[in-house]
Amino acid sequence: MKFTFLLFFTLITAQFNQTDNENFLIESNQVVWQKTYETELSKETLIDKIKTAGKFENVSVSEDKLTAEIRDLSIDYKGYGESEMSTPMYLSRSSVKAFCIFEFKDKKYRVTLKSIKLVQKYDDALSKMGEVTEIETFALSKKNTEFKNGFLKKPSKILNYTFSKATEFKNDTQNSKW
């Protein structure tokens, strides 16, 4: 009975920990953001939307995959419902740069952001404009093997909102005649 209870508790705890990470994972001591979307859009339509979104550079398409770079993606803490003063400084004063992979399957696609870096938007007392910091500095502890509790609170939620908003593509229902 004790073993069954322990197994059940471990599985439940693991499930809660997975959802608390806001689509963030640790792979090879690096922070990775990954999310899968259901879609009614064709692969070709998705690729076209990604290319014309204005958020991705150096787009390269292969059979089931599209790779690109995100540069200067504004962190949307206001859209998430926070003010600049209630958002950690390293987020509110930075933009994001990352390597992006879109993988396509029937009626869904998965987005993976790797090499996530924060780029300082302007000079302040702590850093210079253009200064680049790996997200691991703020997100990981214990030799880059665990998420910091502080990161899993507000920062991961704001970044998840920002990344989701940038990578979710829906079918436009508006009339496209102009």
Side-chain angles (χ1 to χ4, degrees):
M1 181 69 182
K2 287 181 183 179
F3 177 74
T4 305
F5 178 73
L6 184 60
L7 180 63
F8 177 74
F9 181 74
T10 304
L11 291 173
I12 294 297
T13 305
Q15 180 62 32
F16 281 125
N17 286 342
Q18 209 171 29
T19 58
D20 287 348
N21 292 351
E22 299 293 332
N23 298 306
F24 285 96
L25 313 163
I26 300 172
E27 287 183 1
S28 304
N29 297 336
Q30 292 188 329
V31 174
V32 173
W33 180 85
Q34 190 171 72
K35 186 169 183 178
T36 302
Y37 298 97
E38 300 287 328
T39 185
E40 293 297 320
L41 300 174
S42 69
K43 176 182 154 187
E44 293 74 24
T45 304
L46 273 169
I47 290 170
D48 186 51
K49 285 184 173 286
I50 293 165
K51 286 180 175 181
T52 59
K55 298 173 187 154
F56 305 97
E57 298 178 11
N58 301 325
V59 176
S60 175
V61 180
S62 63
E63 219 171 285
D64 319 353
K65 192 185 298 186
L66 179 147
T67 60
E69 293 175 20
I70 292 178
R71 293 190 190 158
D72 200 32
L73 177 66
S74 293
I75 298 172
D76 192 5
Y77 56 86
K78 288 181 183 175
Y80 179 72
E82 296 293 332
S83 68
E84 183 172 357
M85 297 308 288
S86 67
T87 302
M89 280 176 37
Y90 68 88
L91 291 182
S92 63
R93 297 179 180 187
S94 299
S95 61
V96 174
K97 161 176 146 170
F99 181 73
C100 190
I101 303 167
F102 289 85
E103 296 170 286
F104 307 103
K105 281 192 175 181
D106 292 334
K107 301 206 183 265
K108 62 184 173 180
Y109 65 99
R110 181 171 70 181
V111 183
T112 306
L113 296 183
K114 295 181 173 190
S115 300
I116 303 168
K117 296 177 181 20
L118 302 174
V119 181
Q120 179 74 17
K121 288 191 223 176
Y122 49 83
D123 289 347
D124 62 22
L126 302 173
S127 31
K128 299 282 182 208
M129 181 175 157
E131 189 174 303
V132 178
T133 308
E134 285 80 16
I135 196 167
E136 290 79 12
T137 304
F138 303 109
L140 300 180
S141 63
K142 302 210 179 189
K143 297 185 179 181
N144 288 359
T145 59
E146 290 181 17
F147 284 109
K148 292 180 180 177
N149 286 334
F151 177 76
L152 292 178
K153 292 179 181 170
K154 199 180 293 183
S156 67
K157 290 173 179 28
I158 293 170
L159 287 171
N160 183 58
Y161 175 81
T162 300
F163 296 159
S164 294
K165 192 173 154 192
T167 59
E168 184 173 19
F169 300 96
K170 297 180 180 177
N171 199 1
D172 295 334
T173 56
Q174 298 174 346
N175 191 347
S176 61
K177 291 182 182 177
W178 50 278

